[in-house]
Amino acid sequence: MLRAVEGGASVVVCSTCRLSAESREDDGGRRGGALLAEAVRKLRDDDPAYAGIAVQDMPCLFICERHCTVHVRGTGKVGYVLGGFTPDEDAARAILDYAARHAASEEGVVRYADWPQGVKGHFIVRTPPDGFVCT
């Protein structure tokens, strides 16, 4: 069930997420999560500012009440799960902008003032790194 991936700064995209609260797939039968993963990967590949952020996908992050979810994480850092995105370039940019700030932070904590507008209102949960809890 587990597949090894490189550690470090990454965005894990739920590849099986719904397209929206109303629709499971687009007209071509593609899930929202697959479309979001594609948008994030394309933008990461096209913009060298995001080169240090891995884009990984996995089926089902078990947050089915929120479509198009991602987990922003890094080794030894607080991680964040966000959802409710539209699978497009604007969402991909907001996610990658946040992930870049997360990667640059010491513990994975990004000041609210530094959050990209496109991620505000999308946070679902924060996860402490293995061996730690937040204070």
Side-chain angles (χ1 to χ4, degrees):
M1 177 171 194
L2 294 176
R3 172 177 47 101
V5 293
E6 257 187 67
S10 62
V11 175
V12 180
V13 182
C14 176
S15 61
T16 57
C17 269
R18 298 177 61 82
L19 177 67
S20 67
E22 299 79 29
S23 300
R24 183 175 162 158
E25 302 167 337
D26 69 2
D27 292 338
R30 297 194 56 205
R31 294 276 188 124
L35 295 168
L36 183 59
E38 181 179 294
V40 173
R41 256 193 206 96
K42 180 179 180 342
L43 184 59
R44 191 268 326 262
D45 292 347
D46 290 348
D47 191 331
Y50 306 127
I53 301 167
V55 179
Q56 303 155 344
D57 58 78
M58 66 176 268
C60 202
L61 287 175
F62 281 66
I63 311 167
C64 300
E65 67 277 359
R66 298 283 297 269
H67 58 280
C68 290
T69 58
V70 300
H71 181 202
V72 176
R73 64 184 183 172
T75 305
K77 296 184 180 205
V78 175
Y80 297 90
V81 177
L82 300 87
F85 291 104
T86 302
D88 58 22
E89 185 178 342
D90 289 340
R93 185 168 306 284
I95 291 165
L96 285 169
D97 283 347
Y98 182 80
R101 291 175 178 122
H102 179 269
S105 71
E106 185 177 331
E107 296 181 332
V109 178
V110 178
R111 292 178 335 120
Y112 180 79
D114 295 330
W115 290 6
Q117 187 62 38
V119 299
K120 293 179 179 177
H122 291 272
F123 285 81
I124 299 168
V125 65
R126 70 179 174 162
T127 58
D130 189 34
F132 295 88
V133 292
C134 299
T135 58

